[in-house]
Every structure is written in structure tokens, then in C-alpha cells.
Amino acid sequence: MRKEGLMENAKLIRMAKPARRWDDGLPLGNGRLGAMVMGRVNDETIFINEETLWYGPRRERSNPNGRENLEKIRELLMKKQVEQASFLAKMSLTSLPKYNNPYQPAGDLRICFQGHSKPVQNYKRDLDLSSAVGVVEYDMDGVHYKREHFVSSRYQVLVVRITCVSLSGTKKCKMTLCANMSRKPFEENTGKIDKKTVGNWGQNGVGGVKYLTALRMLSNGTNALTGDFAHASKASEAVILLASRTDFAEKSELGQAVTDTLNLAEKVGYDELLKAHLSDYRAMYERLDFSIMQQGEVWNNELSTQQLIESVRNDEQTHVNQLTMLLLYYARYLMISCSSNCLMPANQQGMWNGSYEPPWQCQFTININVQMNYWFVEKANLAECHNPLFSLLERMVPNGQKTARELYGAGGFCAHHNTNLWASTDPEGIFSASPFWVMGGAWLALHMYEHYLYTLDKEFLHEHALPVMREALLFFKDYLHKAPDGSLLTGPCVSPENTYLTPSGEQGSLTMGPAMDCMILRQLLQSYLSAASDTDFSDTQEIECFENMLMGVPKTQIGKDGRILEWCEPFEECEPGHRHISHLYALHPGHEITKENKELFDAAKKTLEYRVGHGGGHTGWSRAWLACFYARLCEGDKVLSSVRELLKSSVQDNLLDSHPPFQIDGNFGIAEAIMESLAQSHGGYIELLPALPSAWENGKLQGFCLRGGITANMQWENKKVTRLLVKAAKETCVTFKFGDKLVEAHLAQDVWQEINFDI
Ligand code: FUC
């Protein structure tokens, strides 16, 4: 049974022509296997990704001279000799070698049709978000051609069904087509794998993962293999099944694993593959329903997504609400497609990558980007999509213990600003404003705590969250530097990835105790202490040590001009409109700065105004973060302006976020901003419609989650909550807030209950 309202209008990403670049494609995926569909008429290319296919081997990269130079670098920084400190840090703290190897494509699936070059009419390339099926359709020479694509999670295959029917009903139509895999320019082996299967295989660099991608073509015509092609002749229906694996996590022999997968998919057949896909996908996708359509507005599936976006660029209002809804639906679709039932979390491009030398190696950047990917997942009722991030984090812990020991002589674990398939925790790169930053592990550990706050899953708290949080804190116990005034400082460190000017005109990024570090550390300490003090994770002595640490972490400072200080001194930014706004961490995603704390709240507002006034938000993800800040500042119309700006300047025609180039964090970050405008639960109570833009005056949000184990259905009219139904995972007392009204409610476990604001 469908939930009311969900299927009224299919939610489509609609393209009117084939893609020109790989990232103009339709992204499909099941977390492990990704496909980007170009939709070309004759020479079709579908870019294939396997989430563990990275280049090169696992490497140990710690700088052997880090530890011996650490105190010297700190001394120089404390004496404000920034240039000398940076010079020494560059040589002694950066890794050997410097860069992570890239995440790379599994290859291109090519599909070619014989005699298929006549003019085309009625071309459409649609991604239906409510079914996770991508469709390419067109007419040629009196025949209607249709290709349906989806990636099955249950059966681990990409399925492409190609059909043709005569438009007049008179003519019998048949296709002759072939398919193969290639991997230009890194082709190692291609050919037959068994009598119905072809593919490509190899090892991705010396010591790298071994991979195998294989496909079969099944049709109602004649099927055969020639060279490294599978082909079908005289068919009116053909189904391509494709599977891909690496030996990173595969226990059985690759050929066997892939053949078994294809055998099973072939045996169950197309109908079962589709049925299972729809049922698995919809079980997650349909948990949430969102609408902000105003009276008289209609969902428009006639226009392409590009035309809808173009209307916003022309300053029209007509389709802004539809696109806002699409942004949230799309973010949920993308998250399910790249981060469910899999090993690796969403990387910079989710899991889609058509390049062997992708931007920033398409890795996991953990000084904002990966965290941004996951901000919205709990509230968007996709908690399990967080799991791949947690398993990567747990694999980072032993590596980070080694990094902590070798580079800083400290216990516990730490991670720097990038990680990869092998859960690397070393500093990455040499650009002075990014690698020297030890907060990656601590920030990610807070994601585990957030997961607990949303789910109240005590087992997860005890088995996963607290152990990782404790390891992160043990690092700081040894690593923090005691300044002469007794405060405990991180450092050498940076405020990601900004640079300052010293009063003497020197440029620097290396520093001690920047605001963001203090904010993350304070939140981690407070969270750990509130959850662990009555368990046996830490003995009294350790708890006392963490409590002392909490007192020593510098408080957030406000400068003379009323802005929050980004560094421990009132330095001027070299780039006042810098894309990172790290010193507002405590406003969002942190929750130290709330409207109850007026001084900091006002300072946060000023900080933001200054950044925006100097051109801030020029990358997609930065724009999305601005929108999140505005939601926390309860400025709904500015959230909407940020959504508009994102649509105007930072999305591609297929609505994928653009840095530029394509980077997925903005898609996920804007979903967080939309959800935070509608409900917030970080301040110890639940606030409804805290930042509602005027243009969203009526709407509904059904099936969203809040901290405290709460699921809720909300409707509003004329900007007033008209219906609120909530259910708690555990019996609890909660305060709900709407405007000035407060309602205290006692919620029984697992019972839907109505909350009435008497408006
Ligand atoms: C951080 C950002 C860049 C980019 C990269 C992947 O380094 O500063 O803008 O998003 O990550």
C-alpha cells in the first residue's frame, strides 16, 4: 500500500538529451556498485564504479622526523615565529609520500546497436527517484526504444533492460546489439570469463586491489560472445546483467564470486530483480514524505530539470518549491544509492567517478565534506546509511593510534583531514592550510554519538560510540599543549583551510588552539562525560582528567568587532570570504551556540554576515553550510535565498552539486538545511518550524526523526503547526516548542501521540 501523497507525482530528474560529460549522467547505485548513465543513442556508455576500487597499495606514511620536531614547532608558534614553524612543519610533519592515491572507475560499459543512426524523436532520459530506475527512451524509424536501468542491492547487479516496440503496431521490430567493458587508459585484461560472460580484470597498481567486472547479455533473440563482447541479434528484448568486485573485502575467488552473482541474477530473472529492487529501495525511500507546494502550484514533469533550474536563474519563483522538494528527495535517493548495505561511506562524489585522476582523488575529506554528507541522515530517517561511515571510522582507530604515537608521541588515536579505502590517518598533502589538523577522528566520533542520540541504541553506544570517543580523547590527553596561562591548546594546527595575516604582515595558517578545534574538543568531552560517567569505560581518575581537560579548553572568544575569533588571536583573514567557516562549528553542526546564549548567537550572526558580505558561499558545499547556519539562526528567508543561490550557481543540469566540479556534499548539506528549517532538536527541546521561509507557508513533513528517539509527522498551514504526531523509541518526557508556545509531553514507548499547541 502506498503512503498517501507519495506517488501523486513521480519525482523525476529529467534530462532532454544525452549526457556530454560523465557527471551529466543519471547516477544509480546500491552502495557497492555505481553506474552513471549517459543515455547516448547508439554508442551508449555507462560509467561503472565499485566502491573499493582505489589505486595502489596500503601505505605507511608517517614522517619519521615528526615527533622530534613537534616541541620545536610549538615553541616557534608560541613565540609567534609562524613562518619558521611552518617551514619546519612542512618538512617534518607531512607524510612520505604526501598524497593519497585516487578512487578510480571500474570501467565503462559500452552498448552499441547495429544500424542505429537514423534521426531520433521524443528523446527522454529520466531518473525516477521514487523507484530508483533510470529510463532512456526515444523513437527512431517508427520504433520506440526503451532502456530501464537499476542496481539491485539484494542481487548485487546492475540491470539494463532494452526493449523495442513498433510505434504503429504493424511492424515486427528487432535489435542487434553488443556490450563490453573497457577501462581506458588502464586496460589490463578483457575477454571471456565463461561461455556466456565477458569482462575486464586486473590489479589496480602494484600491491593494489584486484578487480573483476563481468557482464552477460540475455535476450529473446540469438545470444553469443565474440572477442570481448556479449551480443544479441534479432531481439525485441535484451537484458544486460553486470557485477563487479574487488578482493578488498571479497573472501572467495573473484571469478567465482562474480559468476555466482550473475548466475543467481539470471536464474531469478528480470521480474524478480525489479520486484526485489523496488521493495528494498522503497522500504527506505518511502519513510519520509515532504511537501511545500502552495495552493495552485502543480508538480511539473513536462519541463526538464535543466529548464526548472533555468527558471530560477531567470529569477522566476514558479519552480523554486518544486526544486526545493526535489533537492531533499534527491539527497535521500543519492544517500540510499551510495551509502546503504555497503562498506565505504559516501566519498566526495558519493560513489560515482568517471575519471582516473579525479578532483582531490575523490577521497574522504574529513575537515568538513564527509561530515556534511552525513548531517541529514538521522533526521531524514536513514540512520542505517550512517553505518559505512562508522565502519570506516572503526578501521581508522588502529591506524590513528599508530599515527598518534609516531607523529606526536601520544596515546589514543587521531586522524588528519583526508582518509581513504585503507582508513589512512596520516597528514595528506603539503598545502600549508590543510594537512596539519588533528581533529578528523574527534569530529567523526561525534557522528557516532549523534547516531546514539537519534536512535537511543544503548548497545551501539557501548559497543561502538564510547570506545571510539574514548580513544579520540586519550589522544588529546597526551597531545594538548599547556600554555603559560594554563589553557590546553591543540597545535600545531590550522583552522581548515584558511590563512591569516599577522600584525607584522606575515601570512600564516599554522597556529595553536584555533576556535574550531576547541569547539569540537569541548563537544566531544561533554558528550563523552555525559554518556560515560556512569559506565565502566573510564575509571574515576580518567573521568577527572577529562573534566580537567574540559576546563582547560579555551572558550569561544568574541573580537572587538563583535565577530567570533577564528584563531586564538584577532588575526585578519587573508580571504575574508573564505569558503570554510570553521569557527561557526559551534552554531552548526555543533550546538553550543543557541539563541539562549545571546552574546554568542549575535556574534555568530555577525561572523556570518562578514563572510557572506565578502563573497562567502562560492562553492556548493559552502553555500549549503551557510544555509545550515541560517536555519540555526532562525532566518528562514535566508535559508531560502541560499537554496536559490545554490540552484543558480552551484548545481549541474542533473541537479548534482558543483564545487565546481561535481562534489556531492552540497546535495547532502542543503538537505540538512531544509530539514533544520523545519525542526531542530539540539537545544534540549524540540522546536518546530524554527526557520520557516515565507514561501513555505503550508506544507507537511512526515516520518522525520529527532534526537531522543522520536519519529514525527507534521503539517502546517499559514506558517502554523496544525498537526503533530510523534512516537518515541523509549518512554520519555519531551518539551515541544512552536513560536512562544511550549508543550511538555510524556510519551509512552512506540505509541503515536498527538501534540497540540492550541493555536
Ligand atoms: C576541502 C575544501 C575544498 C574541497 C575539498 C574536497 O579541502 O576546502 O573546497 O571541497 O575539500
Side-chain angles (χ1 to χ4, degrees), residues 348 360 365 367 369 497 579-580 621 659 663 665:
Q348 281 157 3
W360 293 285
T365 301
N367 66 6
N369 315 81
E497 307 184 4
R579 61 195 182 286
H580 285 259
W621 67 260
H659 186 287
Q663 204 170 282
D665 41 16

Side-chain angles (χ1 to χ4, degrees), residues 666-734:
N667 287 102
F668 295 137
I670 205 69
E672 162 76 354
I674 294 168
M675 301 226 35
E676 281 280 301
S677 309
L678 300 175
Q680 294 178 11
S681 59
H682 60 281
Y685 54 88
I686 290 172
E687 182 163 12
L688 287 321
L689 308 183
L692 191 73
S694 349
W696 303 359
E697 58 183 350
N698 304 317
K700 65 176 175 189
L701 184 67
Q702 319 258 32
F704 64 106
C705 301
L706 296 151
R707 290 180 189 81
I710 313 274
T711 309
N713 290 341
M714 169 173 68
Q715 285 181 21
W716 66 96
E717 277 165 38
N718 296 324
K719 302 191 191 158
K720 295 202 166 78
V721 177
T722 49
R723 191 161 160 80
L724 178 67
L725 280 173
V726 296
K727 191 173 78 172
K730 301 252 160 70
E731 184 181 351
T732 180
C733 285
V734 188

Side-chain angles (χ1 to χ4, degrees), residues 359-406:
W360 293 285
Q361 287 85 263
C362 197
Q363 54 190 321
F364 304 98
T365 301
I366 53 174
N367 66 6
I368 176 73
N369 315 81
V370 168
Q371 285 88 344
M372 179 176 283
N373 288 352
Y374 288 91
W375 287 341
F376 85 115
V377 291
E378 301 285 340
K379 57 197 76 163
N381 211 334
L382 293 175
E384 66 269 58
C385 291
H386 232 152
N387 292 340
L389 183 65
F390 302 147
S391 37
L392 176 62
L393 178 57
E394 286 182 327
R395 288 198 290 119
M396 286 163 72
V397 171
N399 298 340
Q401 287 168 335
K402 193 159 176 277
T403 304
R405 196 169 58 242
E406 290 177 358

Side-chain angles (χ1 to χ4, degrees), residues 145-160:
Y145 293 90
K146 185 170 186 181
R147 300 182 212 149
E148 293 147 290
H149 317 68
F150 59 91
V151 188
S152 164
S153 173
R154 200 175 310 175
Y155 294 102
Q156 290 298 322
V157 279
L158 163 68
V159 183
V160 184

Side-chain angles (χ1 to χ4, degrees), residues 309-379:
I309 296 169
E310 214 45 61
S311 74
V312 183
R313 293 186 179 142
N314 292 332
D315 281 327
E316 291 165 26
Q317 301 308 312
T318 338
H319 303 300
V320 177
N321 280 351
Q322 175 173 344
L323 280 165
T324 308
M325 290 166 63
L326 259 183
L327 280 170
L328 182 57
Y329 285 121
Y330 200 26
R332 292 188 79 254
Y333 164 82
L334 292 167
M335 182 49 68
I336 298 169
S337 305
C338 74
S339 190
S340 59
N341 299 315
C342 58
L343 199 62
M344 303 307 293
N347 62 34
Q348 281 157 3
Q349 294 171 181
M351 68 171 318
W352 297 277
N353 171 28
S355 164
Y356 293 86
E357 210 192 318
W360 293 285
Q361 287 85 263
C362 197
Q363 54 190 321
F364 304 98
T365 301
I366 53 174
N367 66 6
I368 176 73
N369 315 81
V370 168
Q371 285 88 344
M372 179 176 283
N373 288 352
Y374 288 91
W375 287 341
F376 85 115
V377 291
E378 301 285 340
K379 57 197 76 163

